[in-house]
């Protein structure tokens, strides 16, 4: 799936955070049947972000039922301590916060050692340029379009400008690197984001609160 990654069209990565946690199996089955190629799993520690979501056992349970690519976004301090466990629990891509890492190069290396894909991300208040030293070392940059911590927030419009800057950096330094956008993504902005160079759109509430989640995924892909 990753060999012709960048040529690959658009990807929707529905965020589990907006799913019904009492029935994650059916959320996985819906994703499996849908046109979403990825499933976005948000892990929050209550320290890096004010909210706590869930940990390894829940990821393992999702992995058991999900046939799609497991895209794990960790909003935790000391990401270096947990890389191996996330990989063992089923992460196929592990995306950590630049702001939460004392040594981003070390985290990137640890993720690589696990043989899984590496993503790096920043909150909306961190200059995109901070990522410059890492662009050629990662498979994906996740640009947060809300402050990490909660689902259901409004999309921050400045993201378009940041996306433009990021796209230019990636085109110059590592054209194979994917761009993912996360937070407040919906059918109202999906076209504009894809057109501006985003490869992967995370959508929590837009998908799971839709009357027909599978149709919504299709609509966003075709927007
Ligand atoms: C926020 C998470 C997001 C969140 C997106 O910290 O990283 O993945 O679930 O939710 P929506 O799409 O509802 O903004
Ligand atoms: Zn996320």
């Amino acid at each position: 799936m990753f060999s012709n990654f960048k040529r690959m069209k658009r990807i929707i990565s529905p965020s589990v955070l907006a799913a019904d946690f009492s029935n994650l199996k059916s959320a996985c089955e819906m994703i499996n049947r849908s046109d979403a190629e990825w499933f976005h799993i948000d892990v929050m520690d209550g320290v890096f972000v004010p909210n706590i979501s869930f940990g390894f056992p829940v990821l393992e349970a999702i992995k058991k039922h999900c046939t799609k690519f497991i895209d794990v976004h960790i909003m935790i301090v000391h990401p270096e301590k947990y890389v191996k466990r996330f990989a063992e629990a089923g992460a196929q891509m592990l995306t950590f916060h630049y702001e939460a890492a004392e040594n981003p190069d070390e985290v990137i290396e640890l993720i690589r050692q696990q043989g899984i894909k590496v993503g790096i991300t920043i909150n909306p208040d961190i200059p995109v340029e901070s990522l410059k030293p890492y662009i050629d070392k990662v498979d994906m940059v996740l640009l947060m379009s809300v402050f990490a911590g909660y689902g259901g927030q409004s999309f921050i419009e400045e993201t378009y400008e940041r996306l433009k800057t990021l796209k230019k950096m990636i085109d110059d330094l590592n054209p194979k690197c994917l761009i993912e956008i996360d937070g407040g993504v919906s059918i109202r902005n999906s076209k504009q984001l894809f057109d501006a160079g985003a490869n992967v759109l995370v959508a929590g509430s837009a998908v799971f609160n839709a009357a027909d989640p599978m149709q919504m995924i299709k609509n966003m892909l075709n927007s």
Side-chain angles (χ1 to χ4, degrees):
M1 167 189 293
F2 256 76
S3 50
N4 54 357
F5 213 38
K6 186 79 185 199
R7 270 186 287 133
M8 202 155 60
K9 13 50 178 178
R10 306 161 158 201
I11 293 172
I12 297 290
S13 191
S15 165
V16 69
L17 218 51
D20 175 358
F21 277 31
S22 67
N23 201 351
L24 284 178
K25 187 177 174 193
S26 93
C28 291
E29 287 167 352
M30 182 278 286
I31 304 288
N32 292 346
R33 286 194 311 274
S34 79
D35 292 338
E37 291 185 42
W38 291 16
F39 197 12
H40 186 85
I41 314 295
D42 286 300
V43 178
M44 304 177 182
D45 67 353
V47 181
F48 177 65
V49 288
N51 198 10
I52 298 179
S53 58
F54 52 78
F56 305 113
V58 173
L59 175 55
E60 281 162 9
I62 291 169
K63 177 69 186 169
K64 230 187 274 170
H65 297 291
C66 182
T67 57
K68 300 296 177 82
F69 184 79
I70 309 264
D71 164 34
V72 178
H73 172 197
I74 51 173
M75 289 156 269
I76 65 171
V77 295
H78 295 300
E80 72 285 352
K81 284 191 191 168
Y82 301 100
V83 166
K84 191 161 184 284
R85 292 200 55 198
F86 279 111
E88 286 167 356
Q92 290 170 284
M93 157 92 78
L94 192 58
T95 299
F96 69 97
H97 275 264
Y98 159 80
E99 321 83 297
E102 275 164 34
N103 183 348
D105 279 314
E106 179 199 4
V107 182
I108 291 169
E109 186 46 38
L110 287 169
I111 300 174
R112 287 259 174 254
Q113 282 169 13
Q114 292 303 313
I116 61 174
K117 299 295 169 187
V118 185
I120 191 166
T121 181
I122 45 171
N123 264 316
D125 59 345
I126 305 292
V128 174
E129 289 74 11
S130 320
L131 294 179
K132 204 164 181 181
Y134 310 103
I135 297 279
D136 66 339
K137 300 173 183 154
V138 298
D139 300 295
M140 185 176 84
V141 172
L142 162 54
L143 196 59
M144 290 303 298
S145 41
V146 301
F147 281 88
Y150 298 93
Q153 303 180 69
S154 303
F155 182 85
I156 297 174
E157 296 293 323
E158 284 74 25
T159 304
Y160 292 115
E161 207 43 49
R162 289 165 60 76
L163 173 54
K164 208 167 143 190
T165 309
L166 176 64
K167 175 88 169 66
K168 171 136 193 18
M169 265 166 55
I170 284 182
D171 286 347
D172 290 347
L173 301 168
N174 181 9
K176 288 200 306 289
C177 180
L178 296 178
I179 302 177
E180 182 178 58
I181 307 288
D182 182 8
V185 174
S186 74
I187 192 72
R188 289 183 296 281
N189 49 31
S190 50
K191 178 180 169 29
Q192 199 172 341
L193 290 167
F194 279 134
D195 287 351
N199 306 102
V200 187
L201 299 185
V202 175
S205 27
V207 166
F208 285 98
N209 295 347
D212 183 343
M214 286 174 61
Q215 187 59 48
M216 179 54 75
I217 291 167
K218 244 187 229 310
N219 293 348
M220 289 175 74
L221 282 170
N222 297 325
S223 60

